[in-house]
Amino acid sequence: MTSSSGKAASPGRAASRDKAAFRGKAVLITGASSGVGRATALQLASEGADVVLLSRSASVLAEVQRECEAHGVRAVVTVADITDRDALEAAFSTAVRELGRLDGVVHSAAALSYGRFEDVPAEVFDKAVLTTLGGTANVARCALSAFSESGGGSLVVVGSLLGKISTPFMSSYVTPKWGVHGLVRTLQIEARTTPDTHVSLVWPGGVDTPVYLQAGTYLKRHGRPPPPVDSPEKVARAVVAALWKPRREVSVGLANPITVTGFRLFPGLFDVLVTPLMKLGGLSRGEVENSPGNVLSPTPEGEAVHGRWGRQWLRPVASVGLGVVAAGAGLAATAVRGVNRAGRP
């Protein structure tokens, strides 16, 4: 049963729980070769969990396996594309055979390509949607089946701020992430009648991972995480905390609630501001060749825990701050006009 509370403790407090909580537990992580998935695998291994590492990149998974086993736990490598149901089912079967059961599943794998909707080739768009949304459905199906056989378990899906708002040049990611959030809510409702089955959503904003450089692009520019940027380790702590204490959803990102509020309550103003802010804070400066990136096939040479941004988001923060101030002024003006109109006879 999912928690009845939509609130969660700060991700930074996760370390205060019993560090032995995961000792002897087995957790499968998708997207384990890079970014949040890899950070989560390492976090779980450091807390004593046996891990099953799943992605398309066998060579990188072997490296992650060594990093996890250095903590004295078992780490099983399973290579699969989450859009391939047969391969994914085989990977879950391997996990159960090797470790006996699965107590948890963390799903963080996704794909995207930057570009105006009409400029992204249909093949690339369709594959990105199939990976992010169809892959989530495949993983959830396998996870729930494994939990049914073992008597329960916890599924944590990594969503996104872009599962709650929209932004230009990212239709291949916004579209399926909205679907992912909808699917998770449905699973949470259904899980209320399934004893000891938990489903949680963790949705970060900008995170310093390689995904922005690995993504496809048809803008001749790479993406980059918009400020404020969090570390993959911070998101991983929230994910692991949700495994330990399931929550309906956990936001990771200081600006997430403000951004969602602006999108929902002031759509006209949001639409005016979002494109210039995206160009300023969400796209790289240098020109690159258009390509599908890792959407159609993996690019293991670019996989790692971190991207190249770190705290560099502070450089454009003054400009972004001006945009936020302008937005605030606009919101205030809108509110004043509303009050004035309401007060007229």
Side-chain angles (χ1 to χ4, degrees), residues 77 90 120 153 165 171 173 223 227 256 263 269 283 293 326 334 337 339:
V77 168
V120 177
I165 69 164
S171 59
Y173 193 68
N256 287 2
F263 178 78
L269 182 61
L283 296 175
T334 300
R337 284 196 296 270
V339 169

Side-chain angles (χ1 to χ4, degrees), residues 1-269:
M1 182 182 299
T2 55
S3 167
S4 60
S5 171
K7 299 179 180 179
S10 166
R13 297 177 188 172
S16 65
R17 67 176 174 271
D18 181 6
K19 295 291 284 185
F22 290 99
R23 191 164 297 138
K25 303 293 186 181
V27 182
L28 182 147
I29 306 102
T30 71
S33 55
S34 195
V36 170
R38 186 167 179 170
T40 300
L42 294 172
Q43 177 72 26
L44 284 165
S46 74
E47 298 198 24
D50 294 329
V51 291
V52 182
L53 310 170
L54 189 151
S55 85
R56 297 177 295 174
S57 302
S59 60
V60 183
L61 286 180
E63 179 182 341
V64 182
Q65 181 183 38
R66 290 191 293 271
E67 294 171 345
C68 291
E69 289 178 340
H71 293 285
V73 303
R74 297 181 65 189
V76 177
V77 168
T78 54
V79 180
D81 185 325
I82 59 173
T83 66
D84 184 335
R85 273 183 253 171
D86 291 340
L88 193 60
E89 289 173 1
F92 270 76
S93 295
T94 297
V96 173
R97 184 174 64 251
E98 292 287 329
L99 299 180
R101 59 173 284 152
L102 283 176
D103 300 287
V105 172
V106 174
H107 174 53
S108 70
L112 72 147
S113 181
Y114 288 85
R116 290 178 62 91
F117 171 72
E118 65 267 28
D119 293 337
V120 177
E123 176 191 20
V124 176
F125 181 91
D126 291 351
K127 178 64 174 179
V129 171
L130 179 61
T131 299
T132 303
L133 180 53
T136 301
N138 289 339
V139 171
R141 193 176 290 113
C142 289
L144 294 174
S145 176
F147 297 160
S148 176
E149 293 178 4
S150 64
S154 181
L155 168 65
V156 179
V157 175
V158 179
S160 172
L161 171 62
L162 293 179
K164 295 184 179 291
I165 69 164
S166 188
T167 187
F169 316 129
M170 296 189 73
S171 59
S172 69
Y173 193 68
V174 171
T175 302
K177 279 297 185 182
W178 277 59
V180 166
H181 284 217
L183 174 61
V184 169
R185 285 296 289 124
T186 303
L187 296 180
Q188 289 172 342
I189 294 168
E190 293 178 351
R192 295 181 66 85
T193 57
T194 307
D196 297 320
T197 297
H198 310 271
V199 183
S200 302
L201 176 73
V202 175
W203 54 284
V207 185
D208 177 28
T209 76
V211 66
Y212 306 92
L213 297 179
Q214 291 191 300
T217 183
Y218 294 89
L219 286 172
K220 295 199 172 190
R221 294 171 70 180
H222 282 306
R224 65 175 179 176
V229 179
D230 286 311
S231 70
E233 289 85 357
K234 181 177 180 180
V235 183
R237 289 194 295 271
V239 169
V240 173
L243 280 170
W244 169 247
K245 186 176 182 181
R247 294 288 184 176
R248 184 175 298 120
E249 62 178 56
V250 181
S251 169
V252 182
L254 185 63
N256 287 2
I258 299 170
T259 307
V260 172
T261 298
F263 178 78
R264 292 177 177 173
L265 299 184
F266 304 95
L269 182 61

